[in-house]
Structure formats: structure tokens, C-alpha cells
Amino acid sequence: MTSYQLMFSDTGHNWKQYRQEDSIGSFPGNSNADSVVQYKLQQPVVARFLRLIPLDWNPNGRIGLRLETYGCPYTSDVVTLDGSSSLVYRLNPGSRRAQRDVIALKLKTLRNSGMLLQAEGREGLGLRLELDRGKLLLLFSAKTLSAEPQRLAALGSLLDDQHWHHVAVELHGLHLNLTVDKHTLRVKIPPQFHHLDIQELSVGAVQALGSHKPFHSKRNFHGCLENLLFNGLNLIELAKVKDHKVSLVVSLINHPDLLLC
């Protein structure tokens, strides 16, 4: 086999083609039965299954290949949210505020819309990440302003394709970086949101007004989250060890269309 495409999957059903940074989708093979061709992926992938699609081969013989793959250590903490489940992280009162707030996670879902995350600060200020028709929206809200959240940015597409997508928010003063996969959008925050000072982080379900309990809504996130980090803290890991700052509410309702992580 002298040329092939590389596909990967974490379920064995939904396959995604690996493409290099120059958008070339094919890999060179070898020209005989003995030489070794080694290729290091420019961008790592997380997968349980690999599939090779032959594109070209030696016309004097059959398609043949000997293959070895090498991986690297990877830590994975995953939680499944079904629209009535949520994870809430509350900072200790009077805790020292970080100069820079960073939220990072990976998501996988079959639903194209849903509330992914909301961060609440002092004086009624808030930040939201919401899926809307496969895109990720960044919204800000304040109780002193209009009841409708103010949309500041939209990024990504087809985020409901049942593949893992990386999302990160970096907040520093009046500047915010929103990252979805390999794309980063720099957003200037309106002055009224300068003192956000995150006190509580809610993931997966909309919080009822004046309550710390989530309620079931079509607006809630359905899917899987991996390695949910807030300023370097792994919130899923903290929930597993029952840290008092993290509350994990898991629904026992059986949803036939719930995505398996």
C-alpha cells in the first residue's frame, strides 16, 4: 500500500478523517515489503479505533500492510449529562480572586442546542456558553441591564457531530479569548462586565431563578464532558472525591437517545 487515508473513532461507528495542517488527507506508504515508513501526527487524536482506507498500492501484488501505532499517556475524567443533570462549583466566600480565569473542557453531543455553562459573579453579572444550531455562543448578562443576555460572539460549527470538541474561555480584565478546537476568537468585553469576579460555575443545566437546583428543560445540555477545568482544578475529579465545593446532580431517568461517552 503506497498511499492511504487515516480514520479514527471512539465508538467504532462515527468515523472522522485525520487531516494534516495543510489539509492534505493522504499519507505515504512504502514501496516494498521491507522498508519502514514512520509518520508522526502533527496533531494528536484521542481514539479507540483506527481505520485505514487504501488509496494506492503496488499493481504487481495485493494490498498489504504491517502497522504499529504508538500512543502517549492521557488522563480522562468524563461525566454524562442528560438535561436534568448538572455540576456546580462554588468558590469559598472571601477566596482570593485569580488575575486570570480559565475554563477548559471537551464536549461531545448529538443535540445542536443547549445551555453548556454559566458562570455567575458579583452584583448579578454572568457569563454563558450556549450551543445554538451547532455553534457555540458567548453571552453576558446583568440583572441591572436588560433581562435578555447580550451576545458577544459565536464560534464553531457542527458541534453536534458526536465527536469530541475542545472549548476554552480565558478571561482577563476587559479581554476574553474564546477557543473552539483550533480556532480562537478575541473578544473585548463591555466595561459594565469588567468586574465579573466568578463566584459560581454551573455546567449542564439551567439554574432556576433564586435556587441552586437545576430544572429539566430542553435548553439544558445533553451529552458528555471530559476534563472540565477551572483555573487548573479538575471539577469532575473533585466531584468524584466528594469535595464540598462541587455538587454533582445526576438524574436516574432513562433517556433512549442519551449519548454514551
Side-chain angles (χ1 to χ4, degrees):
M1 188 164 65
T2 58
S3 178
Y4 61 93
Q5 289 180 342
L6 176 64
M7 314 286 287
F8 63 94
S9 170
D10 57 358
T11 65
H13 301 289
N14 57 316
W15 294 92
K16 192 170 185 179
Q17 181 181 350
Y18 183 89
R19 288 186 177 274
Q20 305 171 55
E21 292 182 352
D22 53 11
S23 298
I24 298 176
S26 62
F27 289 81
N30 56 2
S31 57
N32 54 57
D34 302 314
S35 63
V36 176
V37 176
Q38 186 181 58
Y39 195 90
K40 184 176 181 180
L41 301 184
Q42 296 172 350
Q43 297 292 332
V45 296
V46 179
R48 295 178 59 203
F49 302 90
L50 297 177
R51 172 180 285 176
L52 273 65
I53 308 296
L55 298 179
D56 200 3
W57 54 92
N58 191 331
N60 297 324
R62 298 179 180 179
I63 302 175
L65 174 71
R66 288 179 292 176
L67 176 69
E68 291 182 347
T69 59
Y70 298 87
C72 54
Y74 183 76
T75 300
S76 176
D77 289 300
V78 179
V79 64
T80 301
L81 301 174
D82 64 357
S84 55
S85 302
S86 68
L87 185 149
V88 180
Y89 173 71
R90 298 183 180 91
L91 280 73
N92 290 325
S95 60
R96 185 177 179 181
R97 183 189 177 192
Q99 293 183 349
R100 185 187 306 265
D101 288 319
V102 180
I103 304 169
L105 58 91
K106 294 180 73 175
L107 69 89
K108 180 170 66 171
T109 182
L110 291 171
R111 303 284 186 92
N112 66 1
S113 299
M115 182 70 66
L116 177 62
L117 176 150
Q118 61 182 11
E120 297 181 5
R122 302 182 189 276
E123 303 176 358
L125 299 179
L127 173 152
R128 289 185 181 182
L129 290 180
E130 184 174 345
L131 282 175
D132 180 46
R133 290 173 289 184
K135 293 184 177 182
L136 188 67
L137 305 185
L138 171 68
L139 306 102
F140 273 80
S141 60
K143 292 181 180 179
T144 57
L145 301 178
S146 171
E148 289 296 323
Q150 181 178 350
R151 174 175 166 177
L152 296 183
L155 193 61
S157 63
L158 300 177
L159 299 181
D160 55 337
D161 61 356
Q162 201 179 346
H163 289 285
W164 287 108
H165 295 278
H166 170 71
V167 174
V169 176
E170 183 178 358
L171 180 64
H172 185 213
L174 289 177
H175 299 277
L176 182 147
N177 290 338
L178 175 63
T179 300
V180 176
D181 295 326
K182 300 178 183 179
H183 304 283
T184 298
L185 186 63
R186 291 171 175 83
V187 181
K188 188 173 182 179
I189 301 174
Q192 60 266 34
F193 298 111
H194 176 56
H195 301 290
L196 178 59
D197 193 6
I198 297 175
Q199 299 295 306
E200 179 175 303
L201 197 64
S202 304
V203 182
V206 178
Q207 301 295 310
L209 185 63
S211 172
H212 291 301
K213 295 182 180 181
F215 62 92
H216 189 78
S217 168
K218 291 182 179 180
R219 294 175 55 203
N220 295 343
F221 177 77
H222 291 69
C224 306
L225 298 179
E226 181 186 51
N227 295 345
L228 172 61
L229 305 179
F230 176 67
N231 292 342
L233 294 175
N234 188 326
L235 302 189
I236 299 177
E237 182 180 5
L238 291 180
K240 288 180 178 179
V241 299
K242 299 182 179 180
D243 187 282
H244 70 280
K245 295 187 293 294
V246 180
S247 302
L248 181 60
V249 180
V250 180
S251 171
L252 299 179
I253 301 174
N254 181 25
H255 291 270
D257 60 343
L258 185 62
L259 180 66
L260 297 178
C261 297

